[in-house]
Amino acid sequence: MAFLRNLGVARMPLLRGVQQAIRSYTPVLTTDTMNKNMLGVRYEVRGIIPQRAKQIERELKEGVEYPFKNVVFANIGDMHAMGQRPITFARQVLALCIYPDLPDGMFPPDVHARAQRILDSCGGRSIGSYTDSAGMSVVREDVCNYLERRDGRPVAMENLFLIAGASQGIRVLLQFFMNGGVGGGGVCSRRKPPAIMVPVPQYPLYSATLTELGAHRVDYFLDEDRGWRLGVENLYELVEKNRDTYDMVCLVVINPGNPTGQVLTEQNMKEILQFCHKNNVFLLADEVYQDNVYNSDRRCYSFKQVLNTMGDEFKDFQMAAFDSTSKGFLGECGFRGGFMEVVGFDPALLAQLHKVMNTKLCPGTTGQIAVSCEVNPPVEGDPSYPLFKLEKDRIIGSLVKRARLVKEKLNAVDGISCNPVEGAMYAFPSVTMPQKAVEEAEVGPWQCVHTVKADI
């Protein structure tokens, strides 16, 4: 007993010391110590106003009374959330890939054939296995064939990457411009900090990503009076204005426009390519809405398609183009499918891009399957074609009507004007506020939230 008592006495100071050590622990990661670039990130598409709307939606379910019964979220281009029905062919292929034991004959033969082709390319014939980092070879073959049909030239598969939505590929590519220059973290031949030219208005993915990377952003303004045209004369002025400050390395172009809804003409695209060529600027072409075109007089060209007409002096031109299953006629946002094609990368640079993509392991397999269904849909003569065509035409037709309706209704309101919505999924109206209202009101996101609270 004495031994035990002595042992207990000996242990007490040690225990108190451990407790003291635990109590004195200071959190390592706080808003004071975190990456300051991330503190500056703003992504209002999912910012405080949508967050307040979510709160109201929860309160409605809990029985809180409001002068309305539902909240409609129009802050993001989520087609299925707005009532669009999925394309049957895509969902049937996905169903068979997820559960191959579904009975033979349950779906049309071309659905079974597509699912078997995809499963044959997966380890263990299961989409639960990892794929190549760049994506399944059979899906990349589908994309290469699609791009050859669209742009008129073969595509080397090593230049193509399947990605978890266009956003992932855009983030990866932008990082390639950041490590170097004045103040950079690596060895670089640039004598000035690199800067990325971004359109205004723009999709806030770009401003948020560049802020996170600590990158320099230079805004260029689209011309609202000319249907949101990209005036290349403004780009030349920006380069000249910033010549002593930045190395203008990359131009972001969103076509069709998000959120402005314009579709660039072929001539305008040629002018943009000529600007990039003359100033040694990399072109980042965000083309996720290329299937969303509502003006029958306006054809949507890809930049690669136009580049192929520009002559031998453009043979070393560098660009990257992005597409996504979240938009177009599929609207499969949640599967996070997309692809990226790079152009003009030498073998050493391409190897570095493949190395970085290897760290991502692979994009989700359901998203890859959705890509296959987007770029290689049923064609005339296939059993699934009649229903596929009916569904696709119905979706695009509905969007055409909505685009016209939004423009007409907005222009009918005093103080609001809106250009025709030629493509994409958004209208960007101009709102003229009375001068007295401008003087008396401070308008900002927090004020909007407080106004919502006060009015409701």
Side-chain angles (χ1 to χ4, degrees), residues 82-114:
M82 293 293 102
Q84 177 177 309
R85 300 292 299 169
I87 293 288
T88 299
F89 174 78
R91 287 300 182 91
Q92 289 177 338
V93 171
L94 280 157
L96 270 176
C97 289
I98 292 170
Y99 190 59
D101 292 334
L102 288 172
D104 290 342
M106 187 174 184
F107 299 134
D110 54 340
V111 171
H112 282 272
R114 178 67 60 86

PDB file of all heavy atoms in Angstrom, residues 82-114:
ATOM      1  N   MET A  82     -33.135  24.098 -61.852  1.00  0.00           N
ATOM      2  CA  MET A  82     -34.207  24.939 -62.384  1.00  0.00           C
ATOM      3  C   MET A  82     -35.268  24.140 -63.133  1.00  0.00           C
ATOM      4  O   MET A  82     -36.134  24.712 -63.778  1.00  0.00           O
ATOM      5  CB  MET A  82     -33.613  26.001 -63.323  1.00  0.00           C
ATOM      6  CG  MET A  82     -32.752  27.034 -62.623  1.00  0.00           C
ATOM      7  SD  MET A  82     -33.685  28.109 -61.500  1.00  0.00           S
ATOM      8  CE  MET A  82     -33.290  27.384 -59.917  1.00  0.00           C
ATOM      9  N   GLY A  83     -35.168  22.811 -63.078  1.00  0.00           N
ATOM     10  CA  GLY A  83     -36.235  21.995 -63.643  1.00  0.00           C
ATOM     11  C   GLY A  83     -35.912  21.276 -64.935  1.00  0.00           C
ATOM     12  O   GLY A  83     -36.756  20.523 -65.451  1.00  0.00           O
ATOM     13  N   GLN A  84     -34.696  21.471 -65.490  1.00  0.00           N
ATOM     14  CA  GLN A  84     -34.367  20.751 -66.732  1.00  0.00           C
ATOM     15  C   GLN A  84     -34.241  19.258 -66.445  1.00  0.00           C
ATOM     16  O   GLN A  84     -33.597  18.845 -65.482  1.00  0.00           O
ATOM     17  CB  GLN A  84     -33.053  21.271 -67.312  1.00  0.00           C
ATOM     18  CG  GLN A  84     -32.611  20.505 -68.562  1.00  0.00           C
ATOM     19  CD  GLN A  84     -31.346  21.062 -69.172  1.00  0.00           C
ATOM     20  OE1 GLN A  84     -31.247  22.262 -69.425  1.00  0.00           O
ATOM     21  NE2 GLN A  84     -30.357  20.204 -69.414  1.00  0.00           N
ATOM     22  N   ARG A  85     -34.840  18.446 -67.290  1.00  0.00           N
ATOM     23  CA  ARG A  85     -34.777  17.002 -67.133  1.00  0.00           C
ATOM     24  C   ARG A  85     -33.470  16.463 -67.717  1.00  0.00           C
ATOM     25  O   ARG A  85     -32.982  16.955 -68.740  1.00  0.00           O
ATOM     26  CB  ARG A  85     -35.958  16.330 -67.847  1.00  0.00           C
ATOM     27  CG  ARG A  85     -37.320  16.755 -67.336  1.00  0.00           C
ATOM     28  CD  ARG A  85     -37.568  16.260 -65.938  1.00  0.00           C
ATOM     29  NE  ARG A  85     -37.549  14.799 -65.872  1.00  0.00           N
ATOM     30  CZ  ARG A  85     -37.527  14.109 -64.740  1.00  0.00           C
ATOM     31  NH1 ARG A  85     -37.497  14.746 -63.580  1.00  0.00           N
ATOM     32  NH2 ARG A  85     -37.528  12.791 -64.761  1.00  0.00           N
ATOM     33  N   PRO A  86     -32.876  15.449 -67.091  1.00  0.00           N
ATOM     34  CA  PRO A  86     -31.639  14.867 -67.626  1.00  0.00           C
ATOM     35  C   PRO A  86     -31.867  14.216 -68.997  1.00  0.00           C
ATOM     36  O   PRO A  86     -32.979  13.774 -69.316  1.00  0.00           O
ATOM     37  CB  PRO A  86     -31.266  13.803 -66.587  1.00  0.00           C
ATOM     38  CG  PRO A  86     -32.028  14.160 -65.355  1.00  0.00           C
ATOM     39  CD  PRO A  86     -33.283  14.821 -65.816  1.00  0.00           C
ATOM     40  N   ILE A  87     -30.797  14.174 -69.785  1.00  0.00           N
ATOM     41  CA  ILE A  87     -30.832  13.450 -71.056  1.00  0.00           C
ATOM     42  C   ILE A  87     -30.859  11.951 -70.745  1.00  0.00           C
ATOM     43  O   ILE A  87     -29.995  11.428 -70.034  1.00  0.00           O
ATOM     44  CB  ILE A  87     -29.599  13.807 -71.916  1.00  0.00           C
ATOM     45  CG1 ILE A  87     -29.664  15.274 -72.366  1.00  0.00           C
ATOM     46  CG2 ILE A  87     -29.482  12.872 -73.109  1.00  0.00           C
ATOM     47  CD1 ILE A  87     -30.712  15.583 -73.421  1.00  0.00           C
ATOM     48  N   THR A  88     -31.848  11.254 -71.291  1.00  0.00           N
ATOM     49  CA  THR A  88     -32.063   9.837 -70.960  1.00  0.00           C
ATOM     50  C   THR A  88     -30.850   8.981 -71.317  1.00  0.00           C
ATOM     51  O   THR A  88     -30.421   8.128 -70.523  1.00  0.00           O
ATOM     52  CB  THR A  88     -33.315   9.316 -71.682  1.00  0.00           C
ATOM     53  OG1 THR A  88     -34.449  10.076 -71.243  1.00  0.00           O
ATOM     54  CG2 THR A  88     -33.553   7.842 -71.374  1.00  0.00           C
ATOM     55  N   PHE A  89     -30.284   9.175 -72.498  1.00  0.00           N
ATOM     56  CA  PHE A  89     -29.155   8.362 -72.946  1.00  0.00           C
ATOM     57  C   PHE A  89     -28.007   8.427 -71.937  1.00  0.00           C
ATOM     58  O   PHE A  89     -27.442   7.396 -71.545  1.00  0.00           O
ATOM     59  CB  PHE A  89     -28.679   8.826 -74.323  1.00  0.00           C
ATOM     60  CG  PHE A  89     -27.424   8.137 -74.799  1.00  0.00           C
ATOM     61  CD1 PHE A  89     -27.474   6.851 -75.314  1.00  0.00           C
ATOM     62  CD2 PHE A  89     -26.192   8.771 -74.731  1.00  0.00           C
ATOM     63  CE1 PHE A  89     -26.322   6.203 -75.751  1.00  0.00           C
ATOM     64  CE2 PHE A  89     -25.034   8.143 -75.164  1.00  0.00           C
ATOM     65  CZ  PHE A  89     -25.102   6.859 -75.676  1.00  0.00           C
ATOM     66  N   ALA A  90     -27.681   9.651 -71.486  1.00  0.00           N
ATOM     67  CA  ALA A  90     -26.563   9.817 -70.556  1.00  0.00           C
ATOM     68  C   ALA A  90     -26.843   9.107 -69.234  1.00  0.00           C
ATOM     69  O   ALA A  90     -25.974   8.402 -68.692  1.00  0.00           O
ATOM     70  CB  ALA A  90     -26.292  11.298 -70.321  1.00  0.00           C
ATOM     71  N   ARG A  91     -28.051   9.243 -68.723  1.00  0.00           N
ATOM     72  CA  ARG A  91     -28.364   8.626 -67.437  1.00  0.00           C
ATOM     73  C   ARG A  91     -28.431   7.099 -67.548  1.00  0.00           C
ATOM     74  O   ARG A  91     -28.073   6.387 -66.601  1.00  0.00           O
ATOM     75  CB  ARG A  91     -29.682   9.187 -66.902  1.00  0.00           C
ATOM     76  CG  ARG A  91     -29.565  10.626 -66.396  1.00  0.00           C
ATOM     77  CD  ARG A  91     -28.558  10.715 -65.249  1.00  0.00           C
ATOM     78  NE  ARG A  91     -28.438  12.050 -64.707  1.00  0.00           N
ATOM     79  CZ  ARG A  91     -29.147  12.537 -63.697  1.00  0.00           C
ATOM     80  NH1 ARG A  91     -30.072  11.783 -63.121  1.00  0.00           N
ATOM     81  NH2 ARG A  91     -28.945  13.766 -63.267  1.00  0.00           N
ATOM     82  N   GLN A  92     -28.864   6.584 -68.689  1.00  0.00           N
ATOM     83  CA  GLN A  92     -28.893   5.123 -68.859  1.00  0.00           C
ATOM     84  C   GLN A  92     -27.486   4.554 -68.933  1.00  0.00           C
ATOM     85  O   GLN A  92     -27.193   3.502 -68.321  1.00  0.00           O
ATOM     86  CB  GLN A  92     -29.687   4.769 -70.118  1.00  0.00           C
ATOM     87  CG  GLN A  92     -31.182   4.998 -69.983  1.00  0.00           C
ATOM     88  CD  GLN A  92     -31.938   4.704 -71.280  1.00  0.00           C
ATOM     89  OE1 GLN A  92     -31.352   4.717 -72.366  1.00  0.00           O
ATOM     90  NE2 GLN A  92     -33.231   4.450 -71.167  1.00  0.00           N
ATOM     91  N   VAL A  93     -26.594   5.226 -69.661  1.00  0.00           N
ATOM     92  CA  VAL A  93     -25.204   4.771 -69.729  1.00  0.00           C
ATOM     93  C   VAL A  93     -24.581   4.808 -68.334  1.00  0.00           C
ATOM     94  O   VAL A  93     -23.900   3.857 -67.906  1.00  0.00           O
ATOM     95  CB  VAL A  93     -24.389   5.638 -70.715  1.00  0.00           C
ATOM     96  CG1 VAL A  93     -22.896   5.301 -70.628  1.00  0.00           C
ATOM     97  CG2 VAL A  93     -24.889   5.447 -72.137  1.00  0.00           C
ATOM     98  N   LEU A  94     -24.816   5.889 -67.607  1.00  0.00           N
ATOM     99  CA  LEU A  94     -24.287   5.997 -66.249  1.00  0.00           C
ATOM    100  C   LEU A  94     -24.844   4.896 -65.350  1.00  0.00           C
ATOM    101  O   LEU A  94     -24.109   4.298 -64.551  1.00  0.00           O
ATOM    102  CB  LEU A  94     -24.629   7.373 -65.672  1.00  0.00           C
ATOM    103  CG  LEU A  94     -23.715   8.517 -66.124  1.00  0.00           C
ATOM    104  CD1 LEU A  94     -24.412   9.854 -65.982  1.00  0.00           C
ATOM    105  CD2 LEU A  94     -22.423   8.520 -65.306  1.00  0.00           C
ATOM    106  N   ALA A  95     -26.132   4.617 -65.481  1.00  0.00           N
ATOM    107  CA  ALA A  95     -26.751   3.585 -64.643  1.00  0.00           C
ATOM    108  C   ALA A  95     -26.101   2.227 -64.870  1.00  0.00           C
ATOM    109  O   ALA A  95     -25.796   1.490 -63.914  1.00  0.00           O
ATOM    110  CB  ALA A  95     -28.246   3.519 -64.921  1.00  0.00           C
ATOM    111  N   LEU A  96     -25.863   1.882 -66.133  1.00  0.00           N
ATOM    112  CA  LEU A  96     -25.244   0.590 -66.442  1.00  0.00           C
ATOM    113  C   LEU A  96     -23.794   0.535 -65.988  1.00  0.00           C
ATOM    114  O   LEU A  96     -23.314  -0.522 -65.562  1.00  0.00           O
ATOM    115  CB  LEU A  96     -25.333   0.319 -67.944  1.00  0.00           C
ATOM    116  CG  LEU A  96     -26.579  -0.435 -68.437  1.00  0.00           C
ATOM    117  CD1 LEU A  96     -26.571  -0.532 -69.947  1.00  0.00           C
ATOM    118  CD2 LEU A  96     -26.639  -1.825 -67.815  1.00  0.00           C
ATOM    119  N   CYS A  97     -23.103   1.655 -66.075  1.00  0.00           N
ATOM    120  CA  CYS A  97     -21.709   1.668 -65.622  1.00  0.00           C
ATOM    121  C   CYS A  97     -21.621   1.553 -64.104  1.00  0.00           C
ATOM    122  O   CYS A  97     -20.717   0.916 -63.563  1.00  0.00           O
ATOM    123  CB  CYS A  97     -21.014   2.945 -66.096  1.00  0.00           C
ATOM    124  SG  CYS A  97     -20.686   3.001 -67.882  1.00  0.00           S
ATOM    125  N   ILE A  98     -22.560   2.175 -63.415  1.00  0.00           N
ATOM    126  CA  ILE A  98     -22.558   2.114 -61.953  1.00  0.00           C
ATOM    127  C   ILE A  98     -22.998   0.742 -61.466  1.00  0.00           C
ATOM    128  O   ILE A  98     -22.442   0.201 -60.500  1.00  0.00           O
ATOM    129  CB  ILE A  98     -23.477   3.225 -61.386  1.00  0.00           C
ATOM    130  CG1 ILE A  98     -22.862   4.605 -61.660  1.00  0.00           C
ATOM    131  CG2 ILE A  98     -23.702   3.035 -59.881  1.00  0.00           C
ATOM    132  CD1 ILE A  98     -23.787   5.758 -61.368  1.00  0.00           C
ATOM    133  N   TYR A  99     -23.989   0.150 -62.155  1.00  0.00           N
ATOM    134  CA  TYR A  99     -24.512  -1.158 -61.726  1.00  0.00           C
ATOM    135  C   TYR A  99     -24.613  -2.067 -62.954  1.00  0.00           C
ATOM    136  O   TYR A  99     -25.679  -2.208 -63.562  1.00  0.00           O
ATOM    137  CB  TYR A  99     -25.869  -0.993 -61.049  1.00  0.00           C
ATOM    138  CG  TYR A  99     -26.362  -2.257 -60.376  1.00  0.00           C
ATOM    139  CD1 TYR A  99     -25.608  -2.866 -59.361  1.00  0.00           C
ATOM    140  CD2 TYR A  99     -27.566  -2.846 -60.740  1.00  0.00           C
ATOM    141  CE1 TYR A  99     -26.046  -4.025 -58.741  1.00  0.00           C
ATOM    142  CE2 TYR A  99     -28.020  -4.005 -60.119  1.00  0.00           C
ATOM    143  CZ  TYR A  99     -27.261  -4.590 -59.121  1.00  0.00           C
ATOM    144  OH  TYR A  99     -27.694  -5.741 -58.501  1.00  0.00           O
ATOM    145  N   PRO A 100     -23.496  -2.672 -63.346  1.00  0.00           N
ATOM    146  CA  PRO A 100     -23.466  -3.482 -64.576  1.00  0.00           C
ATOM    147  C   PRO A 100     -24.400  -4.684 -64.545  1.00  0.00           C
ATOM    148  O   PRO A 100     -24.660  -5.277 -65.612  1.00  0.00           O
ATOM    149  CB  PRO A 100     -21.999  -3.934 -64.669  1.00  0.00           C
ATOM    150  CG  PRO A 100     -21.240  -2.992 -63.800  1.00  0.00           C
ATOM    151  CD  PRO A 100     -22.173  -2.598 -62.709  1.00  0.00           C
ATOM    152  N   ASP A 101     -24.909  -5.087 -63.377  1.00  0.00           N
ATOM    153  CA  ASP A 101     -25.760  -6.273 -63.274  1.00  0.00           C
ATOM    154  C   ASP A 101     -27.215  -6.000 -63.636  1.00  0.00           C
ATOM    155  O   ASP A 101     -28.055  -6.902 -63.501  1.00  0.00           O
ATOM    156  CB  ASP A 101     -25.689  -6.852 -61.855  1.00  0.00           C
ATOM    157  CG  ASP A 101     -24.318  -7.436 -61.546  1.00  0.00           C
ATOM    158  OD1 ASP A 101     -23.631  -7.842 -62.494  1.00  0.00           O
ATOM    159  OD2 ASP A 101     -23.933  -7.463 -60.359  1.00  0.00           O
ATOM    160  N   LEU A 102     -27.508  -4.784 -64.079  1.00  0.00           N
ATOM    161  CA  LEU A 102     -28.867  -4.538 -64.558  1.00  0.00           C
ATOM    162  C   LEU A 102     -29.175  -5.484 -65.716  1.00  0.00           C
ATOM    163  O   LEU A 102     -28.287  -5.811 -66.520  1.00  0.00           O
ATOM    164  CB  LEU A 102     -29.013  -3.085 -65.018  1.00  0.00           C
ATOM    165  CG  LEU A 102     -29.027  -2.020 -63.907  1.00  0.00           C
ATOM    166  CD1 LEU A 102     -28.988  -0.627 -64.509  1.00  0.00           C
ATOM    167  CD2 LEU A 102     -30.263  -2.179 -63.025  1.00  0.00           C
ATOM    168  N   PRO A 103     -30.419  -5.940 -65.849  1.00  0.00           N
ATOM    169  CA  PRO A 103     -30.744  -6.976 -66.840  1.00  0.00           C
ATOM    170  C   PRO A 103     -30.449  -6.551 -68.278  1.00  0.00           C
ATOM    171  O   PRO A 103     -30.634  -5.387 -68.641  1.00  0.00           O
ATOM    172  CB  PRO A 103     -32.249  -7.189 -66.633  1.00  0.00           C
ATOM    173  CG  PRO A 103     -32.538  -6.657 -65.273  1.00  0.00           C
ATOM    174  CD  PRO A 103     -31.570  -5.554 -65.029  1.00  0.00           C
ATOM    175  N   ASP A 104     -29.969  -7.490 -69.061  1.00  0.00           N
ATOM    176  CA  ASP A 104     -29.802  -7.247 -70.497  1.00  0.00           C
ATOM    177  C   ASP A 104     -31.149  -6.882 -71.106  1.00  0.00           C
ATOM    178  O   ASP A 104     -32.183  -7.460 -70.756  1.00  0.00           O
ATOM    179  CB  ASP A 104     -29.255  -8.497 -71.190  1.00  0.00           C
ATOM    180  CG  ASP A 104     -27.806  -8.774 -70.812  1.00  0.00           C
ATOM    181  OD1 ASP A 104     -27.144  -7.842 -70.300  1.00  0.00           O
ATOM    182  OD2 ASP A 104     -27.343  -9.918 -71.003  1.00  0.00           O
ATOM    183  N   GLY A 105     -31.121  -5.951 -72.022  1.00  0.00           N
ATOM    184  CA  GLY A 105     -32.353  -5.553 -72.684  1.00  0.00           C
ATOM    185  C   GLY A 105     -33.140  -4.502 -71.933  1.00  0.00           C
ATOM    186  O   GLY A 105     -34.172  -4.030 -72.426  1.00  0.00           O
ATOM    187  N   MET A 106     -32.678  -4.112 -70.751  1.00  0.00           N
ATOM    188  CA  MET A 106     -33.388  -3.093 -69.991  1.00  0.00           C
ATOM    189  C   MET A 106     -33.305  -1.736 -70.694  1.00  0.00           C
ATOM    190  O   MET A 106     -34.236  -0.926 -70.630  1.00  0.00           O
ATOM    191  CB  MET A 106     -32.792  -2.989 -68.588  1.00  0.00           C
ATOM    192  CG  MET A 106     -33.554  -2.075 -67.661  1.00  0.00           C
ATOM    193  SD  MET A 106     -32.878  -2.159 -65.966  1.00  0.00           S
ATOM    194  CE  MET A 106     -34.044  -1.096 -65.119  1.00  0.00           C
ATOM    195  N   PHE A 107     -32.166  -1.491 -71.362  1.00  0.00           N
ATOM    196  CA  PHE A 107     -31.954  -0.257 -72.097  1.00  0.00           C
ATOM    197  C   PHE A 107     -31.664  -0.584 -73.557  1.00  0.00           C
ATOM    198  O   PHE A 107     -31.352  -1.725 -73.901  1.00  0.00           O
ATOM    199  CB  PHE A 107     -30.782   0.530 -71.489  1.00  0.00           C
ATOM    200  CG  PHE A 107     -30.996   0.945 -70.061  1.00  0.00           C
ATOM    201  CD1 PHE A 107     -29.982   0.772 -69.122  1.00  0.00           C
ATOM    202  CD2 PHE A 107     -32.189   1.512 -69.646  1.00  0.00           C
ATOM    203  CE1 PHE A 107     -30.162   1.152 -67.800  1.00  0.00           C
ATOM    204  CE2 PHE A 107     -32.383   1.889 -68.323  1.00  0.00           C
ATOM    205  CZ  PHE A 107     -31.366   1.716 -67.396  1.00  0.00           C
ATOM    206  N   PRO A 108     -31.712   0.403 -74.454  1.00  0.00           N
ATOM    207  CA  PRO A 108     -31.427   0.158 -75.868  1.00  0.00           C
ATOM    208  C   PRO A 108     -30.022  -0.411 -76.088  1.00  0.00           C
ATOM    209  O   PRO A 108     -29.113  -0.183 -75.277  1.00  0.00           O
ATOM    210  CB  PRO A 108     -31.567   1.554 -76.496  1.00  0.00           C
ATOM    211  CG  PRO A 108     -32.492   2.295 -75.582  1.00  0.00           C
ATOM    212  CD  PRO A 108     -32.170   1.792 -74.206  1.00  0.00           C
ATOM    213  N   PRO A 109     -29.810  -1.123 -77.189  1.00  0.00           N
ATOM    214  CA  PRO A 109     -28.510  -1.771 -77.447  1.00  0.00           C
ATOM    215  C   PRO A 109     -27.336  -0.805 -77.472  1.00  0.00           C
ATOM    216  O   PRO A 109     -26.239  -1.160 -77.025  1.00  0.00           O
ATOM    217  CB  PRO A 109     -28.715  -2.428 -78.811  1.00  0.00           C
ATOM    218  CG  PRO A 109     -30.190  -2.620 -78.936  1.00  0.00           C
ATOM    219  CD  PRO A 109     -30.818  -1.475 -78.216  1.00  0.00           C
ATOM    220  N   ASP A 110     -27.534   0.418 -78.014  1.00  0.00           N
ATOM    221  CA  ASP A 110     -26.401   1.348 -78.072  1.00  0.00           C
ATOM    222  C   ASP A 110     -25.997   1.830 -76.678  1.00  0.00           C
ATOM    223  O   ASP A 110     -24.829   2.144 -76.434  1.00  0.00           O
ATOM    224  CB  ASP A 110     -26.706   2.540 -78.987  1.00  0.00           C
ATOM    225  CG  ASP A 110     -27.996   3.266 -78.628  1.00  0.00           C
ATOM    226  OD1 ASP A 110     -28.854   2.668 -77.947  1.00  0.00           O
ATOM    227  OD2 ASP A 110     -28.162   4.433 -79.048  1.00  0.00           O
ATOM    228  N   VAL A 111     -26.927   1.845 -75.746  1.00  0.00           N
ATOM    229  CA  VAL A 111     -26.590   2.173 -74.360  1.00  0.00           C
ATOM    230  C   VAL A 111     -25.721   1.073 -73.760  1.00  0.00           C
ATOM    231  O   VAL A 111     -24.686   1.343 -73.137  1.00  0.00           O
ATOM    232  CB  VAL A 111     -27.873   2.369 -73.519  1.00  0.00           C
ATOM    233  CG1 VAL A 111     -27.527   2.493 -72.032  1.00  0.00           C
ATOM    234  CG2 VAL A 111     -28.637   3.593 -73.996  1.00  0.00           C
ATOM    235  N   HIS A 112     -26.130  -0.179 -73.959  1.00  0.00           N
ATOM    236  CA  HIS A 112     -25.344  -1.316 -73.451  1.00  0.00           C
ATOM    237  C   HIS A 112     -23.945  -1.328 -74.069  1.00  0.00           C
ATOM    238  O   HIS A 112     -22.953  -1.575 -73.385  1.00  0.00           O
ATOM    239  CB  HIS A 112     -26.068  -2.633 -73.748  1.00  0.00           C
ATOM    240  CG  HIS A 112     -27.199  -2.923 -72.806  1.00  0.00           C
ATOM    241  ND1 HIS A 112     -27.034  -3.594 -71.616  1.00  0.00           N
ATOM    242  CD2 HIS A 112     -28.515  -2.608 -72.886  1.00  0.00           C
ATOM    243  CE1 HIS A 112     -28.210  -3.686 -71.000  1.00  0.00           C
ATOM    244  NE2 HIS A 112     -29.123  -3.103 -71.744  1.00  0.00           N
ATOM    245  N   ALA A 113     -23.875  -1.050 -75.384  1.00  0.00           N
ATOM    246  CA  ALA A 113     -22.574  -1.062 -76.064  1.00  0.00           C
ATOM    247  C   ALA A 113     -21.651   0.019 -75.499  1.00  0.00           C
ATOM    248  O   ALA A 113     -20.455  -0.224 -75.276  1.00  0.00           O
ATOM    249  CB  ALA A 113     -22.774  -0.866 -77.564  1.00  0.00           C
ATOM    250  N   ARG A 114     -22.193   1.221 -75.259  1.00  0.00           N
ATOM    251  CA  ARG A 114     -21.363   2.300 -74.708  1.00  0.00           C
ATOM    252  C   ARG A 114     -20.882   1.949 -73.299  1.00  0.00           C
ATOM    253  O   ARG A 114     -19.711   2.139 -72.950  1.00  0.00           O
ATOM    254  CB  ARG A 114     -22.150   3.606 -74.674  1.00  0.00           C
ATOM    255  CG  ARG A 114     -21.391   4.795 -74.078  1.00  0.00           C
ATOM    256  CD  ARG A 114     -20.213   5.228 -74.959  1.00  0.00           C
ATOM    257  NE  ARG A 114     -20.707   5.615 -76.254  1.00  0.00           N
ATOM    258  CZ  ARG A 114     -21.160   6.838 -76.563  1.00  0.00           C
ATOM    259  NH1 ARG A 114     -21.131   7.797 -75.671  1.00  0.00           N
ATOM    260  NH2 ARG A 114     -21.598   7.104 -77.781  1.00  0.00           N
TER     261      ARG A 114
END
